Every structure is written in C-alpha cells, then in structure tokens.
Amino acid sequence: MLKRFLFLGAFTSILSTANSQSKIDPASIKEKMQWFADAKLGIFIHEGIYAVNGIDESWSFHNKKISYADYMKQLNGFTLKNYNPENWADLIKESGARYAVITTKHHDGVAMYDTKMDDLSIVKATPARRDMVKPLFDALRKRDIKCGAYFSLIDWSFPDYPGFLKDSSRYQTENDYQRWNKFRSFFQGQIKEIGQVFKPDLWWFDGDWEHSAEQWESQKVRNIILTNNKNSIINGRLQGYGDYDTPEQNFPVSRPAFNWWELCMTVNNNWGYQPSDKNWKTPYEIITIFTDAISNGGNLLLDIGPKEDGTIPEEEVKVLKELGAWNKRNGEAVFNTIGGIPQGHFYGPTTLSKDSTTLFLFLQGNISGNITLKGLMNKIKDITVLGNGAKLTHKIVGKISWSPIPGLVYINVPKDVQDKYVTVLKVTLEDPIKLYDGKGGLK
Ligand code: GLC
C-alpha cells in the first residue's frame, strides 16, 4: 500500500535522463547551467530595421508581404536616436529579470553591431551609425544582469546563402559547396567576432531548421563558442548541440522532459515593434504564464520590441514594471527555487526552495476561502502570505490515526491578504517534502 510514495529525489532523477534529441550530456553542463536555472526570468529584445515600417521581422519580405527592395529601404529610416541603453537596463532590472537577450542579427542579415565581415550593419548602412549591442551589454553588466546574443543562422540577405523568398532559393547547398562554404565562413566569422567583442553569457541561435547539424557544422560552432568562453550557455536551436530547450509561444501543459528549458513569448503577438498589434497581454496573464513556467522547472524569456528610435512602447514598459513589482513582493518564491510538485497535489503552480523544506503555492484567479493540498506527508511548521506577512491557519482533514496515508490540508485564505495579481503562500515544512501519490489505500 505504501509503495507508491513519491520522493523528491525520484522526480529530479527522472528529469536528468531526459532531453533525448540533444547531443549534450546534461551532467557535463550542470555547473554552468546553474545561474540559468536560478534566473527564471529573461527579457528578449527584438530590435531591427523592421521597426521602421512596423512589419514582421525578416519574414515580411520572405513571405512576400513586401518586396525585398522595399524592406531594405527601412535601413534609411533606422535612427536609434532616442536609444538609451542605461534606461533599457534599468527597466530590465526593475522587471526582476536576471538576463536579457538581444538581436545581434535577424534572418534579414542586418547586423546590429559593427561587423567586420561585410557592410550590412546598422553602423555602416543606417543613419543610426552606431553599435547597439556593446552599450547595452555594458549597462546590463553594471547591474549584474547576464547578457545573451540572439543570432540568426539563416541570412536571407547574404548572396551566397541558398534561401531567399519562401518559394525561391538561390541554389541547392548540395550542388554548390563552394558557395555554401563561403557562407559558412562568413557566419562562423560573425560568431567569432561576437564572441570576442561582446563575450555573451548566452547564445540564442535561431533558424537552425533550414539546414542540418552537418551543414551548419553545429559541433564546430559550439566549439568556437566554448573555446572563447567555456561557460557560455547555448540555446537549443543548433540542431542538437544546444544546452537547453526553447518552446516558442506555446505553453507546456505537462512538465517538459528537459533539464533546462525556457518559454520565449511576446507581450503582444509580435516579436518586433508593430503599432497595429494591440493585443497586449495583461500583467495578470504574464504573471500566470510566468508562474506556470517556473512551476514546471522552466524560465520565461519575455520579448519586447522597441521602436526604430530605441523607445520601448509604453504598454511594454507598464507590463515590465508591474511584473517587477510583483516579483519584489513574491521573489522569494521565484528566484533560486526549483520546479514544484507534480500536478494533482495542488491545483495550481508551485515551486520549492532548493532544500525542499519550503513549498510555495501560487493562487491564480484571486482564490480565497479554503484551498487544498493533497498527499503531503510532512508536518507544516507555518504558512505565511508573501509580500504581506499574514500567518494563515490550516486544518488536516481525513487523517486516520493508525494509517500512514496523509490527510488533506485545508488552508484558509482570507480575502484581505490577496495580492493584486497572484497571491503566493509560503508553506514551511518540518523537513524536506515527501509526497504520497497512491490511491488512498487501494492497490
Ligand atoms: C522565430 C522566428 C523569429 C523570432 C524568433 C523568436 O522562430 O523566426 O522571427 O525571432 O523565432 O523566438
């Protein structure tokens, strides 16, 4: 009857065997991944010439919504004239994020820094005439925020890259190895220079789907990065040679079988600045998605799309500030925690302190009254409301004195202790959490 006890150690070890498509042994990267696992929140920044017309980043010409020539005319309107990296970094810090990832080059091939590999950069080809990346990394590092470089492997502008529009390509890689090799030394050269000049803590590749690991030389790319900085973290878009997985816009319903993962998601429906897109997620929606991600052992990489002049749209500023204020009140349940308990024990997101003696419950939808915890074997020391300090009472229901099966825990949550968005309860246990997930005495 008591064989079906689930101990914490059991579910962490299930996770460490996963990540089947990755060629990277999780044990070999565990140490360098620690800051990422603790970070929980990152801010993604899509800034590029597409903000001039406010159209889809790169995809607009690829999908033939605009001609390539007209798309590239946006170079003339990209100014960054109000770009203030210190303000960006302040806002990112205020949101509570521990890392940020910025576009160094999107699929359109326009480098957002002073590349020496060709002339297609905002430094040489736009009125901005400046590097966007370095001053932001400097400002972030001053605030102890890790720096990530988004880099598109795809480069639809490079004359020797095979792909171009959705229904046309320049050549087949297999038929023209000379051209492909030319492109390969070009993009690998850019990776080298980004590595040397900006020293990213994290590399966020994109577009690996257009070619195989052999064609990109993913293993070599990984080596280039790690030779330059052995602790760099690489996202999962390098055809199997990345360190963690990056589901995009889609919310996992059950816990992903990856050691480390990160949901990347937009605040409205687009990555870059698009004034016609008013479909802003509310702070409540962002916070519930965020807590769901961390409950399932992941991070949230929340994207903003600044205007061409470097101004961040006010709706995004507001969301980041609200998220930051919530993190200030409830950060103890977020940062430096681990994913929570399996579904069924509590109907909502949870996290645990690293030593598993504290369980945090996230109450979505402003629940008050009696909430229930199932299968908790431990004695509860005390329950408080984060950001408020109120102590809550609880009652154990249905515990039979001679049976080892635990009773239900009912916690009374009064209305007046509620958070503006998501209330967090801190349940302190007498010892590391132990859960019962059996069938209540039936075999
Ligand atoms: C994508 C897109 C892209 C966006 C990105 C962010 O798949 O190609 O435009 O930059 O991923 O996750």
Side-chain angles (χ1 to χ4, degrees):
M1 163 166 82
L2 290 177
K3 265 187 251 148
R4 306 221 30 202
F5 278 68
L6 185 64
F7 294 96
L8 188 70
F11 67 80
T12 44
S13 72
I14 294 168
L15 289 175
S16 58
T17 57
N19 204 349
S20 56
Q21 282 156 331
S22 173
K23 308 261 187 296
I24 309 305
D25 169 21
S28 69
I29 55 172
K30 202 165 172 265
E31 213 171 300
K32 78 165 185 184
M33 293 305 290
Q34 197 53 54
W35 73 256
F36 180 83
D38 292 340
K40 311 298 176 187
L41 181 65
I43 300 299
F44 209 177
I45 305 165
H46 273 69
E47 173 67 312
I49 64 165
Y50 36 86
V52 173
N53 291 4
I55 52 177
D56 296 346
E57 68 291 342
S58 312
W59 291 99
S60 48
F61 75 81
H62 182 81
N63 290 331
K64 307 211 285 197
K65 287 188 187 166
I66 183 173
S67 71
Y68 179 69
D70 284 342
Y71 181 92
M72 292 315 266
K73 279 189 193 143
Q74 294 178 104
L75 286 167
N76 305 324
F78 188 78
T79 65
L80 280 187
K81 65 173 183 284
N82 296 316
Y83 178 39
N84 187 332
E86 299 290 330
N87 287 353
W88 282 21
D90 276 341
L91 180 65
I92 292 167
K93 184 80 184 172
E94 192 178 340
S95 75
R98 305 297 206 244
Y99 64 107
V101 179
I102 189 168
T103 40
T104 61
K105 182 180 92 166
H106 205 265
H107 314 330
D108 60 13
V110 181
M112 305 305 288
Y113 67 100
D114 192 13
T115 180
K116 305 289 184 252
M117 298 298 295
D118 73 355
D119 291 337
L120 188 52
S121 70
I122 59 163
V123 184
K124 295 197 185 96
T126 74
R129 303 197 68 77
R130 62 189 288 197
D131 160 28
M132 182 179 76
V133 181
K134 178 82 165 55
L136 181 65
F137 276 21
D138 288 346
L140 291 169
R141 287 190 165 127
K142 267 197 260 166
R143 291 160 181 81
D144 211 14
I145 297 168
K146 298 275 187 195
C147 300
Y150 167 105
F151 182 85
S152 169
L153 295 162
I154 293 175
D155 189 328
W156 290 324
S157 279
F158 196 79
D160 291 300
Y161 183 75
F164 183 41
L165 304 179
K166 65 174 177 183
D167 50 8
S168 67
S169 60
R170 298 181 179 94
Y171 65 95
Q172 293 304 314
T173 322
E174 306 72 45
N175 302 339
D176 201 337
Y177 255 99
Q178 238 178 326
R179 287 185 81 178
W180 176 249
N181 275 334
K182 217 164 141 196
F183 171 69
R184 218 157 42 186
S185 22
F186 168 73
F187 90 81
Q188 291 176 4
Q190 287 194 320
I191 290 172
K192 270 184 211 147
E193 64 183 6
I194 291 170
Q196 279 156 10
V197 180
F198 307 121
K199 305 186 179 17
D201 303 295
L202 184 149
W203 283 82
W204 214 99
F205 286 109
D206 196 15
D208 67 340
W209 59 83
E210 286 206 353
H211 296 279
S212 66
E214 290 69 31
Q215 287 171 328
W216 296 121
E217 294 184 322
S218 298
Q219 172 83 71
K220 181 176 165 200
V221 169
R222 187 176 170 89
N223 290 345
I224 294 174
I225 290 170
L226 297 182
T227 310
N228 190 47
N229 174 3
K230 70 173 174 30
N231 289 322
S232 281
I233 291 178
I234 302 169
N235 78 334
R237 298 192 186 177
L238 193 56
Q239 291 287 13
Y241 287 84
D243 298 317
Y244 71 91
D245 194 34
T246 54
E248 177 171 322
Q249 303 281 31
N250 296 307
F251 324 103
V253 173
S254 53
R255 193 166 172 162
F258 289 89
N259 295 276
W260 303 277
W261 66 273
E262 169 201 68
L263 168 67
C264 57
M265 186 185 78
T266 49
V267 178
N268 55 1
N269 286 343
N270 285 284
W271 299 102
Y273 174 63
Q274 296 211 15
S276 59
D277 178 357
K278 307 267 186 242
N279 203 6
W280 302 106
K281 296 180 184 74
T282 64
Y284 174 75
E285 288 157 0
I286 303 261
I287 291 166
T288 49
I289 293 165
F290 177 41
T291 54
D292 196 41
I294 61 174
S295 169
N296 282 302
N299 289 0
L300 174 67
L301 183 64
L302 183 62
D303 179 74
I304 56 172
K307 300 178 186 174
E308 64 70 29
D309 68 352
T311 324
I312 300 175
E314 68 183 271
E315 293 84 351
E316 291 175 343
V317 172
K318 188 176 164 234
V319 162
L320 262 54
K321 288 188 169 193
E322 287 294 290
L323 175 58
W326 182 87
N327 274 327
K328 264 221 165 86
R329 297 192 290 275
N330 299 292
E332 190 186 344
V334 175
F335 305 105
N336 305 307
T337 61
I338 54 176
I341 55 179
Q343 289 170 12
H345 294 282
F346 176 66
Y347 293 109
T350 60
T351 56
L352 285 161
S353 61
K354 280 186 183 159
D355 65 2
S356 302
T357 59
T358 308
L359 172 66
F360 298 99
L361 309 176
F362 298 89
L363 310 185
Q364 296 195 347
N366 283 338
I367 309 169
S368 61
N370 281 304
I371 59 129
T372 324
L373 256 178
K374 272 162 88 176
L376 182 71
M377 298 289 293
N378 312 70
K379 275 221 171 87
I380 293 174
K381 254 199 204 160
D382 118 310
I383 304 173
T384 56
V385 182
L386 286 193
N388 166 302
K391 281 204 187 305
L392 302 187
T393 55
H394 71 281
K395 181 181 170 194
I396 308 287
V397 174
K399 172 83 182 90
I400 316 272
S401 62
W402 47 262
S403 165
I405 297 175
L408 300 171
V409 180
Y410 279 85
I411 304 172
N412 187 256
V413 186
K415 263 210 159 65
D416 61 356
V417 302
Q418 286 184 343
D419 188 271
K420 187 169 165 194
Y421 297 117
V422 171
T423 308
V424 185
L425 305 189
K426 175 181 177 180
V427 182
T428 310
L429 308 172
E430 283 203 335
D431 37 25
I433 195 163
K434 250 191 273 168
L435 295 170
Y436 167 78
D437 77 338
K439 294 187 171 57
L442 297 174
K443 298 243 180 211

